[in-house]
Amino acid sequence: MSKMKRTRKPGGGRKKLKPEYDAGKNLKEQMESAVALYNSEMSLQAIGDALNLNPIKVRGQQQAAG
C-alpha cells in the first residue's frame, strides 16, 4: 500500500459568488465621496446621512484619507 499525496490544483477552491464585486474599489469610491463632501464644509453627521454610513465610519475614512 503506497500512499501518494495528491497535489492541489492552482486556482482551485470555492468560486466567488460575485466575481465583479471589489471591496477595495467600493471603499475608495466611498472615501473620495466623503472627502469631497467634507471639503464642501459638511459635518460628519451630514456626510454620513448623505452616504448612508455611520458618522464614526466617515471619521475613520477621513483619517485614512489624510
Short mmCIF file of all heavy atoms in Angstrom, two decimals:
data_model
loop_
_atom_site.label_atom_id
_atom_site.label_comp_id
_atom_site.label_asym_id
_atom_site.label_seq_id
_atom_site.Cartn_x
_atom_site.Cartn_y
_atom_site.Cartn_z
N MET A 1 0.82 -1.18 0.00
CA MET A 1 0.00 0.00 0.00
C MET A 1 0.86 1.25 0.00
O MET A 1 1.42 1.61 1.01
CB MET A 1 -0.83 0.04 1.27
CG MET A 1 -2.05 -0.78 1.26
SD MET A 1 -2.99 -0.28 2.69
CE MET A 1 -3.95 -1.69 2.86
N SER A 2 0.96 1.87 -1.10
CA SER A 2 1.71 3.12 -1.14
C SER A 2 0.72 4.29 -1.12
O SER A 2 -0.27 4.30 -1.84
CB SER A 2 2.57 3.19 -2.39
OG SER A 2 1.76 3.30 -3.53
N LYS A 3 1.00 5.20 -0.26
CA LYS A 3 0.14 6.38 -0.15
C LYS A 3 0.80 7.53 -0.89
O LYS A 3 1.87 7.99 -0.50
CB LYS A 3 -0.06 6.76 1.31
CG LYS A 3 -0.85 5.75 2.08
CD LYS A 3 -1.08 6.25 3.49
CE LYS A 3 -1.90 5.26 4.27
NZ LYS A 3 -2.15 5.72 5.63
N MET A 4 0.17 7.93 -1.95
CA MET A 4 0.69 9.08 -2.70
C MET A 4 -0.14 10.30 -2.35
O MET A 4 -1.37 10.24 -2.33
CB MET A 4 0.62 8.82 -4.20
CG MET A 4 1.55 7.71 -4.64
SD MET A 4 1.66 7.60 -6.42
CE MET A 4 2.39 9.14 -6.82
N LYS A 5 0.54 11.34 -2.05
CA LYS A 5 -0.15 12.57 -1.68
C LYS A 5 -0.60 13.30 -2.95
O LYS A 5 0.19 13.51 -3.87
CB LYS A 5 0.78 13.46 -0.88
CG LYS A 5 0.11 14.63 -0.26
CD LYS A 5 1.05 15.36 0.67
CE LYS A 5 0.31 16.45 1.38
NZ LYS A 5 1.16 17.14 2.33
N ARG A 6 -1.87 13.66 -2.99
CA ARG A 6 -2.37 14.40 -4.14
C ARG A 6 -1.99 15.87 -4.00
O ARG A 6 -2.08 16.45 -2.92
CB ARG A 6 -3.90 14.31 -4.20
CG ARG A 6 -4.39 12.94 -4.53
CD ARG A 6 -5.88 12.99 -4.71
NE ARG A 6 -6.40 11.65 -4.88
CZ ARG A 6 -7.67 11.38 -5.05
NH1 ARG A 6 -8.55 12.34 -5.07
NH2 ARG A 6 -8.07 10.14 -5.20
N THR A 7 -1.60 16.45 -5.08
CA THR A 7 -1.28 17.87 -5.07
C THR A 7 -2.52 18.66 -5.46
O THR A 7 -3.33 18.21 -6.26
CB THR A 7 -0.12 18.20 -6.04
OG1 THR A 7 -0.49 17.78 -7.34
CG2 THR A 7 1.15 17.48 -5.61
N ARG A 8 -2.63 19.81 -4.90
CA ARG A 8 -3.78 20.66 -5.19
C ARG A 8 -3.58 21.38 -6.51
O ARG A 8 -2.47 21.78 -6.86
CB ARG A 8 -3.96 21.71 -4.09
CG ARG A 8 -4.29 21.11 -2.77
CD ARG A 8 -4.45 22.20 -1.77
NE ARG A 8 -5.76 22.02 -1.17
CZ ARG A 8 -6.41 22.94 -0.50
NH1 ARG A 8 -5.89 24.11 -0.32
NH2 ARG A 8 -7.59 22.69 0.01
N LYS A 9 -4.68 21.60 -7.20
CA LYS A 9 -4.63 22.34 -8.45
C LYS A 9 -4.60 23.84 -8.14
O LYS A 9 -5.35 24.30 -7.29
CB LYS A 9 -5.86 22.03 -9.30
CG LYS A 9 -5.94 20.61 -9.77
CD LYS A 9 -7.19 20.42 -10.60
CE LYS A 9 -7.33 18.98 -11.01
NZ LYS A 9 -8.56 18.73 -11.76
N PRO A 10 -3.76 24.58 -8.82
CA PRO A 10 -3.76 26.03 -8.58
C PRO A 10 -5.06 26.64 -9.10
O PRO A 10 -5.61 26.21 -10.11
CB PRO A 10 -2.56 26.53 -9.37
CG PRO A 10 -2.26 25.47 -10.35
CD PRO A 10 -2.75 24.19 -9.77
N GLY A 11 -5.55 27.62 -8.38
CA GLY A 11 -6.78 28.27 -8.79
C GLY A 11 -8.03 27.51 -8.38
O GLY A 11 -9.13 27.89 -8.73
N GLY A 12 -7.84 26.45 -7.64
CA GLY A 12 -8.99 25.68 -7.18
C GLY A 12 -9.65 26.36 -6.00
O GLY A 12 -9.30 27.45 -5.60
N GLY A 13 -10.60 25.74 -5.43
CA GLY A 13 -11.27 26.28 -4.26
C GLY A 13 -12.66 26.78 -4.59
O GLY A 13 -13.18 26.56 -5.68
N ARG A 14 -13.22 27.45 -3.66
CA ARG A 14 -14.58 27.93 -3.80
C ARG A 14 -14.68 29.08 -4.80
O ARG A 14 -13.88 30.01 -4.76
CB ARG A 14 -15.06 28.39 -2.42
CG ARG A 14 -16.50 28.70 -2.35
CD ARG A 14 -16.87 28.93 -0.92
NE ARG A 14 -18.30 29.14 -0.81
CZ ARG A 14 -18.95 29.19 0.30
NH1 ARG A 14 -18.30 29.04 1.44
NH2 ARG A 14 -20.23 29.38 0.32
N LYS A 15 -15.67 29.02 -5.64
CA LYS A 15 -15.86 30.09 -6.62
C LYS A 15 -16.51 31.29 -5.95
O LYS A 15 -17.31 31.15 -5.04
CB LYS A 15 -16.76 29.59 -7.75
CG LYS A 15 -16.22 28.37 -8.45
CD LYS A 15 -16.05 28.65 -9.90
CE LYS A 15 -15.70 27.42 -10.69
NZ LYS A 15 -14.35 27.04 -10.62
N LYS A 16 -16.18 32.48 -6.42
CA LYS A 16 -16.76 33.70 -5.87
C LYS A 16 -18.21 33.82 -6.30
O LYS A 16 -18.56 33.55 -7.44
CB LYS A 16 -16.00 34.92 -6.36
CG LYS A 16 -14.61 35.03 -5.78
CD LYS A 16 -13.99 36.34 -6.18
CE LYS A 16 -12.64 36.50 -5.54
NZ LYS A 16 -12.04 37.79 -5.85
N LEU A 17 -19.05 34.23 -5.35
CA LEU A 17 -20.46 34.43 -5.67
C LEU A 17 -20.67 35.67 -6.54
O LEU A 17 -21.53 35.69 -7.41
CB LEU A 17 -21.28 34.56 -4.39
CG LEU A 17 -21.34 33.32 -3.51
CD1 LEU A 17 -22.10 33.61 -2.22
CD2 LEU A 17 -22.02 32.18 -4.25
N LYS A 18 -19.88 36.71 -6.27
CA LYS A 18 -19.98 37.94 -7.04
C LYS A 18 -18.59 38.30 -7.56
O LYS A 18 -17.88 39.10 -6.96
CB LYS A 18 -20.50 39.08 -6.16
CG LYS A 18 -21.89 38.85 -5.62
CD LYS A 18 -22.31 40.00 -4.73
CE LYS A 18 -23.66 39.76 -4.15
NZ LYS A 18 -24.07 40.85 -3.25
N PRO A 19 -18.18 37.73 -8.69
CA PRO A 19 -16.81 37.99 -9.17
C PRO A 19 -16.56 39.46 -9.52
O PRO A 19 -15.42 39.91 -9.49
CB PRO A 19 -16.68 37.10 -10.39
CG PRO A 19 -18.03 36.60 -10.72
CD PRO A 19 -18.90 36.81 -9.54
N GLU A 20 -17.60 40.22 -9.83
CA GLU A 20 -17.40 41.62 -10.20
C GLU A 20 -17.28 42.53 -8.98
O GLU A 20 -16.94 43.69 -9.10
CB GLU A 20 -18.54 42.11 -11.10
CG GLU A 20 -19.89 42.25 -10.43
CD GLU A 20 -20.66 40.95 -10.26
OE1 GLU A 20 -20.26 39.91 -10.79
OE2 GLU A 20 -21.67 40.97 -9.55
N TYR A 21 -17.57 42.00 -7.76
CA TYR A 21 -17.52 42.79 -6.54
C TYR A 21 -16.07 43.01 -6.12
O TYR A 21 -15.28 42.08 -6.04
CB TYR A 21 -18.28 42.06 -5.42
CG TYR A 21 -18.25 42.79 -4.11
CD1 TYR A 21 -19.08 43.87 -3.89
CD2 TYR A 21 -17.39 42.40 -3.09
CE1 TYR A 21 -19.08 44.54 -2.68
CE2 TYR A 21 -17.38 43.07 -1.89
CZ TYR A 21 -18.22 44.14 -1.70
OH TYR A 21 -18.20 44.80 -0.50
N ASP A 22 -15.72 44.25 -5.84
CA ASP A 22 -14.37 44.58 -5.39
C ASP A 22 -14.48 45.53 -4.20
O ASP A 22 -14.82 46.70 -4.36
CB ASP A 22 -13.59 45.23 -6.53
CG ASP A 22 -12.15 45.51 -6.17
OD1 ASP A 22 -11.69 45.05 -5.11
OD2 ASP A 22 -11.46 46.20 -6.95
N ALA A 23 -14.24 45.01 -3.02
CA ALA A 23 -14.39 45.79 -1.79
C ALA A 23 -13.44 46.98 -1.77
O ALA A 23 -13.81 48.07 -1.32
CB ALA A 23 -14.16 44.91 -0.57
N GLY A 24 -12.23 46.80 -2.25
CA GLY A 24 -11.25 47.89 -2.26
C GLY A 24 -11.71 49.05 -3.13
O GLY A 24 -11.56 50.22 -2.76
N LYS A 25 -12.27 48.72 -4.28
CA LYS A 25 -12.75 49.77 -5.19
C LYS A 25 -13.93 50.50 -4.58
O LYS A 25 -14.01 51.73 -4.64
CB LYS A 25 -13.16 49.14 -6.53
CG LYS A 25 -13.55 50.16 -7.59
CD LYS A 25 -13.86 49.48 -8.91
CE LYS A 25 -15.30 49.04 -8.88
NZ LYS A 25 -15.81 48.54 -10.15
N ASN A 26 -14.84 49.76 -3.94
CA ASN A 26 -16.00 50.38 -3.31
C ASN A 26 -15.58 51.31 -2.17
O ASN A 26 -16.11 52.42 -2.03
CB ASN A 26 -16.96 49.32 -2.78
CG ASN A 26 -17.60 48.52 -3.88
OD1 ASN A 26 -17.55 48.90 -5.05
ND2 ASN A 26 -18.21 47.41 -3.54
N LEU A 27 -14.62 50.88 -1.37
CA LEU A 27 -14.14 51.70 -0.26
C LEU A 27 -13.48 52.97 -0.78
O LEU A 27 -13.67 54.06 -0.24
CB LEU A 27 -13.17 50.90 0.61
CG LEU A 27 -12.61 51.62 1.81
CD1 LEU A 27 -13.73 52.00 2.78
CD2 LEU A 27 -11.59 50.76 2.52
N LYS A 28 -12.70 52.84 -1.86
CA LYS A 28 -12.03 54.01 -2.43
C LYS A 28 -13.06 55.02 -2.94
O LYS A 28 -12.90 56.23 -2.72
CB LYS A 28 -11.11 53.57 -3.58
CG LYS A 28 -10.29 54.68 -4.15
CD LYS A 28 -9.34 54.19 -5.21
CE LYS A 28 -8.56 55.34 -5.79
NZ LYS A 28 -7.69 54.92 -6.89
N GLU A 29 -14.12 54.54 -3.58
CA GLU A 29 -15.17 55.44 -4.05
C GLU A 29 -15.86 56.15 -2.89
O GLU A 29 -16.14 57.34 -2.96
CB GLU A 29 -16.19 54.67 -4.89
CG GLU A 29 -15.66 54.23 -6.23
CD GLU A 29 -16.63 53.32 -6.97
OE1 GLU A 29 -17.74 53.06 -6.45
OE2 GLU A 29 -16.29 52.90 -8.08
N GLN A 30 -16.13 55.40 -1.81
CA GLN A 30 -16.75 56.00 -0.63
C GLN A 30 -15.84 57.06 -0.03
O GLN A 30 -16.30 58.14 0.36
CB GLN A 30 -17.03 54.94 0.43
CG GLN A 30 -18.26 54.14 0.21
CD GLN A 30 -18.50 53.15 1.34
OE1 GLN A 30 -17.65 52.97 2.21
NE2 GLN A 30 -19.65 52.52 1.32
N MET A 31 -14.55 56.78 0.04
CA MET A 31 -13.61 57.72 0.63
C MET A 31 -13.54 58.99 -0.20
O MET A 31 -13.53 60.10 0.34
CB MET A 31 -12.22 57.10 0.75
CG MET A 31 -12.09 56.12 1.88
SD MET A 31 -10.49 55.33 1.99
CE MET A 31 -9.43 56.69 2.40
N GLU A 32 -13.51 58.84 -1.53
CA GLU A 32 -13.44 60.02 -2.40
C GLU A 32 -14.70 60.88 -2.24
O GLU A 32 -14.62 62.11 -2.18
CB GLU A 32 -13.26 59.59 -3.85
CG GLU A 32 -11.89 59.02 -4.13
CD GLU A 32 -11.77 58.40 -5.51
OE1 GLU A 32 -12.79 58.30 -6.23
OE2 GLU A 32 -10.64 58.02 -5.88
N SER A 33 -15.86 60.23 -2.15
CA SER A 33 -17.12 60.97 -1.96
C SER A 33 -17.12 61.69 -0.62
O SER A 33 -17.53 62.85 -0.53
CB SER A 33 -18.30 60.02 -2.04
OG SER A 33 -18.35 59.37 -3.28
N ALA A 34 -16.68 61.00 0.43
CA ALA A 34 -16.67 61.59 1.76
C ALA A 34 -15.72 62.77 1.82
O ALA A 34 -16.04 63.81 2.43
CB ALA A 34 -16.29 60.54 2.80
N VAL A 35 -14.56 62.65 1.20
CA VAL A 35 -13.58 63.77 1.20
C VAL A 35 -14.15 64.96 0.45
O VAL A 35 -14.02 66.10 0.89
CB VAL A 35 -12.24 63.30 0.59
CG1 VAL A 35 -11.32 64.48 0.33
CG2 VAL A 35 -11.56 62.31 1.52
N ALA A 36 -14.81 64.71 -0.69
CA ALA A 36 -15.39 65.81 -1.46
C ALA A 36 -16.46 66.53 -0.65
O ALA A 36 -16.52 67.78 -0.64
CB ALA A 36 -15.97 65.28 -2.77
N LEU A 37 -17.30 65.78 0.03
CA LEU A 37 -18.35 66.40 0.85
C LEU A 37 -17.75 67.14 2.04
O LEU A 37 -18.22 68.22 2.43
CB LEU A 37 -19.35 65.35 1.32
CG LEU A 37 -20.22 64.73 0.24
CD1 LEU A 37 -21.03 63.58 0.80
CD2 LEU A 37 -21.12 65.77 -0.40
N TYR A 38 -16.69 66.58 2.64
CA TYR A 38 -16.05 67.22 3.78
C TYR A 38 -15.40 68.54 3.36
O TYR A 38 -15.44 69.53 4.10
CB TYR A 38 -15.01 66.29 4.40
CG TYR A 38 -14.42 66.80 5.68
CD1 TYR A 38 -15.14 66.75 6.87
CD2 TYR A 38 -13.14 67.34 5.72
CE1 TYR A 38 -14.61 67.22 8.06
CE2 TYR A 38 -12.60 67.82 6.90
CZ TYR A 38 -13.33 67.75 8.07
OH TYR A 38 -12.80 68.23 9.23
N ASN A 39 -14.82 68.55 2.17
CA ASN A 39 -14.19 69.78 1.66
C ASN A 39 -15.23 70.85 1.36
O ASN A 39 -14.89 72.03 1.30
CB ASN A 39 -13.36 69.48 0.42
CG ASN A 39 -12.09 68.73 0.77
OD1 ASN A 39 -11.62 68.77 1.89
ND2 ASN A 39 -11.55 68.02 -0.20
N SER A 40 -16.49 70.46 1.18
CA SER A 40 -17.55 71.44 0.94
C SER A 40 -18.20 71.87 2.27
O SER A 40 -19.33 72.33 2.29
CB SER A 40 -18.60 70.88 -0.01
OG SER A 40 -19.28 69.80 0.58
N GLU A 41 -17.47 71.69 3.37
CA GLU A 41 -17.86 72.18 4.70
C GLU A 41 -19.08 71.47 5.29
O GLU A 41 -19.81 72.05 6.08
CB GLU A 41 -18.11 73.69 4.67
CG GLU A 41 -16.94 74.51 4.18
CD GLU A 41 -15.73 74.43 5.08
OE1 GLU A 41 -15.89 74.37 6.31
OE2 GLU A 41 -14.61 74.43 4.55
N MET A 42 -19.32 70.21 4.94
CA MET A 42 -20.41 69.45 5.54
C MET A 42 -19.91 68.80 6.82
O MET A 42 -18.74 68.47 6.94
CB MET A 42 -20.92 68.36 4.58
CG MET A 42 -21.72 68.89 3.42
SD MET A 42 -22.35 67.57 2.38
CE MET A 42 -23.69 66.95 3.36
N SER A 43 -20.83 68.60 7.77
CA SER A 43 -20.47 67.94 9.02
C SER A 43 -20.38 66.43 8.78
O SER A 43 -20.89 65.91 7.79
CB SER A 43 -21.51 68.23 10.09
OG SER A 43 -22.73 67.59 9.77
N LEU A 44 -19.73 65.73 9.72
CA LEU A 44 -19.62 64.27 9.60
C LEU A 44 -20.99 63.62 9.64
O LEU A 44 -21.24 62.63 8.94
CB LEU A 44 -18.73 63.72 10.71
CG LEU A 44 -17.26 64.13 10.66
CD1 LEU A 44 -16.51 63.53 11.84
CD2 LEU A 44 -16.62 63.71 9.37
N GLN A 45 -21.90 64.16 10.45
CA GLN A 45 -23.26 63.62 10.53
C GLN A 45 -23.97 63.77 9.18
O GLN A 45 -24.61 62.84 8.71
CB GLN A 45 -24.05 64.35 11.62
CG GLN A 45 -25.46 63.82 11.81
CD GLN A 45 -25.47 62.44 12.42
OE1 GLN A 45 -24.74 62.17 13.35
NE2 GLN A 45 -26.31 61.57 11.91
N ALA A 46 -23.83 64.94 8.55
CA ALA A 46 -24.48 65.18 7.26
C ALA A 46 -23.88 64.28 6.17
O ALA A 46 -24.60 63.77 5.31
CB ALA A 46 -24.35 66.64 6.87
N ILE A 47 -22.56 64.09 6.21
CA ILE A 47 -21.90 63.22 5.24
C ILE A 47 -22.39 61.79 5.43
O ILE A 47 -22.68 61.08 4.46
CB ILE A 47 -20.37 63.29 5.38
CG1 ILE A 47 -19.87 64.69 5.00
CG2 ILE A 47 -19.69 62.25 4.51
CD1 ILE A 47 -18.43 64.93 5.35
N GLY A 48 -22.48 61.35 6.68
CA GLY A 48 -22.97 60.01 6.97
C GLY A 48 -24.38 59.81 6.45
O GLY A 48 -24.71 58.76 5.89
N ASP A 49 -25.23 60.81 6.63
CA ASP A 49 -26.60 60.72 6.13
C ASP A 49 -26.63 60.67 4.61
O ASP A 49 -27.40 59.92 4.02
CB ASP A 49 -27.43 61.90 6.63
CG ASP A 49 -27.68 61.85 8.14
OD1 ASP A 49 -27.53 60.76 8.73
OD2 ASP A 49 -28.01 62.90 8.70
N ALA A 50 -25.78 61.46 3.97
CA ALA A 50 -25.76 61.51 2.50
C ALA A 50 -25.26 60.20 1.90
O ALA A 50 -25.76 59.76 0.85
CB ALA A 50 -24.89 62.67 2.03
N LEU A 51 -24.30 59.56 2.55
CA LEU A 51 -23.70 58.33 2.00
C LEU A 51 -24.27 57.06 2.64
O LEU A 51 -23.79 55.97 2.34
CB LEU A 51 -22.18 58.37 2.21
CG LEU A 51 -21.43 59.50 1.52
CD1 LEU A 51 -19.96 59.45 1.89
CD2 LEU A 51 -21.61 59.44 0.02
N ASN A 52 -25.25 57.22 3.52
CA ASN A 52 -25.83 56.08 4.25
C ASN A 52 -24.77 55.31 5.02
O ASN A 52 -24.71 54.08 4.98
CB ASN A 52 -26.57 55.13 3.30
CG ASN A 52 -27.78 55.78 2.69
OD1 ASN A 52 -28.45 56.59 3.33
ND2 ASN A 52 -28.07 55.44 1.45
N LEU A 53 -23.90 56.06 5.71
CA LEU A 53 -22.84 55.47 6.52
C LEU A 53 -22.94 56.00 7.94
O LEU A 53 -23.50 57.07 8.19
CB LEU A 53 -21.46 55.84 5.97
CG LEU A 53 -21.07 55.29 4.61
CD1 LEU A 53 -19.76 55.90 4.17
CD2 LEU A 53 -20.95 53.79 4.67
N ASN A 54 -22.36 55.26 8.86
CA ASN A 54 -22.26 55.68 10.24
C ASN A 54 -21.24 56.83 10.33
O ASN A 54 -20.18 56.75 9.72
CB ASN A 54 -21.78 54.47 11.07
CG ASN A 54 -21.78 54.73 12.53
OD1 ASN A 54 -21.61 55.85 12.99
ND2 ASN A 54 -21.94 53.66 13.29
N PRO A 55 -21.55 57.90 11.06
CA PRO A 55 -20.60 59.02 11.17
C PRO A 55 -19.23 58.60 11.70
O PRO A 55 -18.21 59.18 11.34
CB PRO A 55 -21.28 59.99 12.14
CG PRO A 55 -22.71 59.66 12.06
CD PRO A 55 -22.81 58.20 11.75
N ILE A 56 -19.19 57.57 12.54
CA ILE A 56 -17.90 57.09 13.05
C ILE A 56 -17.08 56.48 11.92
O ILE A 56 -15.87 56.67 11.83
CB ILE A 56 -18.12 56.08 14.19
CG1 ILE A 56 -18.77 56.80 15.38
CG2 ILE A 56 -16.81 55.43 14.61
CD1 ILE A 56 -19.23 55.88 16.48
N LYS A 57 -17.75 55.78 11.00
CA LYS A 57 -17.05 55.21 9.86
C LYS A 57 -16.55 56.32 8.93
O LYS A 57 -15.46 56.25 8.38
CB LYS A 57 -17.97 54.26 9.09
CG LYS A 57 -17.28 53.58 7.95
CD LYS A 57 -18.07 52.43 7.41
CE LYS A 57 -17.27 51.76 6.31
NZ LYS A 57 -17.62 50.40 6.11
N VAL A 58 -17.36 57.37 8.78
CA VAL A 58 -16.95 58.51 7.96
C VAL A 58 -15.69 59.14 8.55
O VAL A 58 -14.75 59.47 7.82
CB VAL A 58 -18.08 59.56 7.85
CG1 VAL A 58 -17.60 60.82 7.15
CG2 VAL A 58 -19.28 58.97 7.13
N ARG A 59 -15.67 59.29 9.88
CA ARG A 59 -14.50 59.87 10.54
C ARG A 59 -13.26 59.01 10.31
O ARG A 59 -12.17 59.50 10.03
CB ARG A 59 -14.75 60.03 12.03
CG ARG A 59 -13.61 60.74 12.75
CD ARG A 59 -13.89 60.90 14.20
NE ARG A 59 -13.83 59.59 14.84
CZ ARG A 59 -14.17 59.34 16.08
NH1 ARG A 59 -14.65 60.30 16.83
NH2 ARG A 59 -14.06 58.13 16.58
N GLY A 60 -13.43 57.68 10.39
CA GLY A 60 -12.31 56.79 10.13
C GLY A 60 -11.80 56.89 8.72
O GLY A 60 -10.58 56.85 8.47
N GLN A 61 -12.72 57.03 7.78
CA GLN A 61 -12.29 57.18 6.39
C GLN A 61 -11.57 58.51 6.17
O GLN A 61 -10.61 58.57 5.39
CB GLN A 61 -13.51 57.09 5.46
CG GLN A 61 -14.05 55.71 5.33
CD GLN A 61 -15.25 55.63 4.40
OE1 GLN A 61 -15.81 56.67 4.02
NE2 GLN A 61 -15.62 54.45 4.04
N GLN A 62 -12.02 59.55 6.86
CA GLN A 62 -11.35 60.85 6.75
C GLN A 62 -9.91 60.76 7.27
O GLN A 62 -9.00 61.31 6.68
CB GLN A 62 -12.11 61.92 7.54
CG GLN A 62 -13.47 62.26 6.98
CD GLN A 62 -13.38 62.93 5.63
OE1 GLN A 62 -12.48 63.72 5.38
NE2 GLN A 62 -14.31 62.61 4.76
N GLN A 63 -9.74 60.03 8.37
CA GLN A 63 -8.40 59.90 8.93
C GLN A 63 -7.52 59.05 8.00
O GLN A 63 -6.34 59.34 7.83
CB GLN A 63 -8.47 59.24 10.30
CG GLN A 63 -9.09 60.15 11.35
CD GLN A 63 -9.35 59.43 12.65
OE1 GLN A 63 -9.32 58.21 12.74
NE2 GLN A 63 -9.63 60.22 13.69
N ALA A 64 -8.09 58.03 7.39
CA ALA A 64 -7.32 57.18 6.49
C ALA A 64 -6.95 57.94 5.20
O ALA A 64 -5.87 57.73 4.64
CB ALA A 64 -8.11 55.93 6.14
N ALA A 65 -7.84 58.82 4.75
CA ALA A 65 -7.59 59.59 3.53
C ALA A 65 -6.55 60.69 3.74
O ALA A 65 -5.89 61.10 2.80
CB ALA A 65 -8.89 60.18 3.01
N GLY A 66 -6.42 61.12 4.97
CA GLY A 66 -5.42 62.15 5.28
C GLY A 66 -6.03 63.48 5.30
O GLY A 66 -6.00 64.47 4.96
#
